[in-house]
């Protein structure tokens, strides 16, 4: 019998397994993929994620892979009338770290899974969960699974099952985790990788369009966002729509792309779900996209997964073998997760409307005139400061 079974070994599950194994628990980590493998995803790590990796003693491993740093953010917004705001700056250092990174997922996920295994977690790849085990009271007590190449299902028991298996989580479905918040799909996105161009972390916004660019391993990722209702037309000719969006939304970036070369195929999705699920129940808990997902336009998925993993392990402490205390810890985690991620969720929903509102543009134009305010704005986007902390007395007076 294991203390914990973690289902899903990417950016939420692997850190959870690593931290629990370091705490002395016997951990089984399962994933249906073979590692290394890629996944459709944002790449950007906001500074809180960089700080978390450093605290976990994993940042040095990431830097050793050659992932390039990004020290500056460029954010350019244009409304329908041609009015513009351009912010250039960076969030202040957090715990001594000032550079953001955007690793390829096949690099980052493999690194995290290896860190979990190094900590003592037992890691099984190509293993899909088919059911949850329960006792007579209905409490989850383990999982049933099938490993590729094996004819029969197997099962393992544990005091706690952690679902970290993404927005289509099998654990969430089998546990009956209902939605507590659900918003409609708002955007669709397509991206690819380019060589021969240089970028910072760059964001460009126009009404009904959004473009982002960032440096990753050996290439530059460029992503284009469209309204969800445009998805059928965009999907029908994704490459044309992608380049057309970049030409319209970020013409300077488009000219740089003309001097570079696209080095991978197009990747895209219209499945930009926005929800919170109940995060826990008797014997089970959800972390990462399994319990909470939002549009990728604010690139918070990996950062929020790291924060949830650390939060869950902090709440669990030494409670796992004590059912009443474990249930209290899981409830505490559920409440803290919603309190922490709720504001980011609402901010993402607002941005994903792809609508340049006059009052927001006026605010950004005002902020852009003061470098300290610009840097505070980027600190707010990163989650270092709250929205309330952005509004200094001087800014409020100017507004």
């Amino acid at each position: 019998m294991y203390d914990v079974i973690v289902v899903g070994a990417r950016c939420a599950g692997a850190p959870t397994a690593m931290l629990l194994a370091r705490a002395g628990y016997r951990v089984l980590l399962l994933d249906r993929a073979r590692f290394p493998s890629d996944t459709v995803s944002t790449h950007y790590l906001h500074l809180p994620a960089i700080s978390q990796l450093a605290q976990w003693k994993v940042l040095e491993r990431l830097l050793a892979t050659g992932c390039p740093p990004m020290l500056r953010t460029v954010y350019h917004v244009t409304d329908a009338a041609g009015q513009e705001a351009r912010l250039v700056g960076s969030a202040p250092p957090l715990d001594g770290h000032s550079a953001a990174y955007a690793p390829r997922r096949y690099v980052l996920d493999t690194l995290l899974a290896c860190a979990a295994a190094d900590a003592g977690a037992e890691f099984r790849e190509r293993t899909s969960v088919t059911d949850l085990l329960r006792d007579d009271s209905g409490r989850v007590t383990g999982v049933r699974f099938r490993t590729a190449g094996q004819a029969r299902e197997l099962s393992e028991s544990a005091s706690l099952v952690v679902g970290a298996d993404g927005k289509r989580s099998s654990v969430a479905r089998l546990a009956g985790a209902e939605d507590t918040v659900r918003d409609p799909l708002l955007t669709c996105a397509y991206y690819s990788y380019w060589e021969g161009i240089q970028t910072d972390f760059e964001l460009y916004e126009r009404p009904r369009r959004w473009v982002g660019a960032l440096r990753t391993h050996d290439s530059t990722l460029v992503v284009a966002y469209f309204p969800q209702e445009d998805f059928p037309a965009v999907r029908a000719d994704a490459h044309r729509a992608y380049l057309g969006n970049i030409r319209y939304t970020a013409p300077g970036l488009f000219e740089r792309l003309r001097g570079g070369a696209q080095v991978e195929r197009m990747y895209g999705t219209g499945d930009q779900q926005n929800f919170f699920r109940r995060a826990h129940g008797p014997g089970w808990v959800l972390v990462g996209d399994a319990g909470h997902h939002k549009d990728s336009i604010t690139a918070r998925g990996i950062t929020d997964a790291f924060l949830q993993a650390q939060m869950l392990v902090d709440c669990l402490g030494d409670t796992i073998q004590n059912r009443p205390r474990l249930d209290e810890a899981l409830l505490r985690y559920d409440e803290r997760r919603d309190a922490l991620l709720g504001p980011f969720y609402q901010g993402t929903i607002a941005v994903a409307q792809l609508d340049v509102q006059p009052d927001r543009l006026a605010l950004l134009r005002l902020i852009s005139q003061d470098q300290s305010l610009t840097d505070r704005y980027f600190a707010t986007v990163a989650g270092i400061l709250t929205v309330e902390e952005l509004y200094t007395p001087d800014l409020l007076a100017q507004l």
Side-chain angles (χ1 to χ4, degrees):
M1 180 176 178
Y2 295 90
D3 296 307
V4 185
I5 297 173
V6 180
V7 182
R10 294 192 183 270
C11 287
T16 302
M18 175 191 71
L19 293 170
L20 289 170
R22 288 178 178 178
Y25 289 113
R26 188 180 180 209
V27 180
L28 175 61
L29 177 62
L30 307 175
D31 199 286
R32 63 185 179 184
R34 181 191 291 276
F35 286 65
S37 58
D38 213 348
T39 185
V40 174
S41 167
T42 58
H43 296 25
Y44 191 73
L45 306 181
H46 293 276
L47 281 182
I50 302 303
S51 176
Q52 202 71 73
L53 285 175
Q55 292 176 40
W56 294 341
K57 310 299 183 186
V58 178
L59 181 59
E60 288 186 2
R61 301 187 191 184
L62 174 60
L63 301 187
T65 67
C67 189
M70 289 176 285
L71 294 168
R72 190 177 77 150
T73 300
V74 177
Y75 180 28
H76 197 129
V77 183
T78 307
D79 69 7
Q83 295 292 313
E84 298 178 327
R86 188 172 189 270
L87 283 69
V88 181
S90 56
L94 177 64
D95 300 329
H97 303 283
S98 56
Y101 296 87
R104 291 295 296 261
R105 287 298 301 271
Y106 61 79
V107 174
L108 178 64
D109 295 351
T110 303
L111 183 153
L112 292 170
C114 289
D118 291 346
E122 180 183 341
F123 180 33
R124 303 185 195 177
E125 303 172 272
R126 302 180 69 200
T127 299
S128 300
V129 168
T130 58
D131 205 353
L132 299 178
L133 306 180
R134 299 178 186 270
D135 63 15
D136 292 341
S137 70
R139 186 181 190 90
V140 171
T141 58
V143 299
R144 189 176 302 280
F145 57 89
R146 177 177 285 109
T147 299
Q150 294 186 357
R152 63 190 183 94
E153 289 187 344
L154 301 174
S155 62
E156 295 287 0
S157 299
S159 298
L160 178 66
V161 172
V162 178
D165 48 341
K167 61 190 175 187
R168 302 182 191 89
S169 168
S170 295
V171 174
R173 174 177 53 81
L174 294 167
E178 69 274 11
D179 291 348
T180 58
V181 175
R182 172 71 67 168
D183 283 284
L185 305 177
L186 296 172
T187 77
C188 60
Y190 279 85
Y191 66 91
S192 190
Y193 299 89
W194 296 76
E195 286 183 350
I197 65 170
Q198 293 295 318
T199 66
D200 296 293
F201 181 40
E202 301 180 17
L203 304 169
Y204 301 89
E205 182 179 2
R206 281 179 177 264
R208 295 179 59 81
R209 294 293 184 268
W210 182 287
V211 167
L214 49 79
R215 292 198 301 274
T216 184
H217 285 94
D218 301 322
S219 61
T220 295
L221 179 149
V222 181
V223 57
Y225 285 83
F226 308 82
Q228 173 66 206
E229 59 265 27
D230 291 355
F231 184 46
V234 171
R235 182 171 51 182
D237 192 347
H239 194 264
R240 181 194 62 79
Y242 170 78
L243 292 178
N245 187 339
I246 299 168
R247 182 188 296 111
Y248 167 72
T249 309
L253 175 62
F254 180 78
E255 289 303 314
R256 279 182 278 162
L257 294 185
R258 289 163 64 92
Q262 184 179 341
V263 293
E264 291 193 30
R265 68 176 180 86
M266 298 288 299
Y267 302 87
T269 181
D271 190 22
Q272 300 265 55
Q273 296 185 45
N274 300 293
F275 64 80
F276 279 88
R277 291 185 179 123
R278 180 165 60 94
H280 81 288
W284 62 269
V285 66
L286 305 176
V287 295
D289 289 351
H292 162 58
H293 189 273
K294 52 186 173 289
D295 197 290
S296 65
I297 197 165
T298 50
R300 288 209 56 90
I302 301 174
T303 300
D304 290 349
F306 288 0
L307 296 176
Q308 289 175 72
Q310 185 66 61
M311 180 187 295
L312 173 61
V313 175
D314 289 345
C315 288
L316 289 174
D318 61 356
T319 67
I320 289 179
Q321 297 302 336
N322 184 314
R323 284 190 175 183
R325 292 182 60 214
L326 172 59
D327 292 344
E328 292 172 2
L330 296 179
L331 174 60
R332 186 161 56 248
Y333 161 75
D334 199 330
E335 294 171 342
R336 290 181 181 179
R337 181 204 67 168
D338 289 1
L340 174 67
L341 300 183
F344 296 128
Y345 180 82
Q346 294 302 328
T348 298
I349 294 298
V351 173
Q353 303 290 336
L354 299 179
D355 184 16
V356 181
Q357 293 289 342
D359 55 348
R360 184 164 67 89
L361 181 61
L363 172 64
L364 293 173
R365 288 167 64 92
L366 186 59
I367 289 173
S368 69
Q369 298 170 21
D370 184 314
Q371 190 61 53
S372 64
L373 278 177
T374 297
D375 293 344
R376 287 179 68 86
Y377 174 82
F378 288 130
T380 303
V381 172
I384 300 170
L385 299 178
T386 66
V387 173
E388 291 74 18
E389 290 172 317
L390 170 65
Y391 288 91
T392 64
D394 286 347
L395 178 58
L396 288 172
Q398 293 182 69
L399 287 172

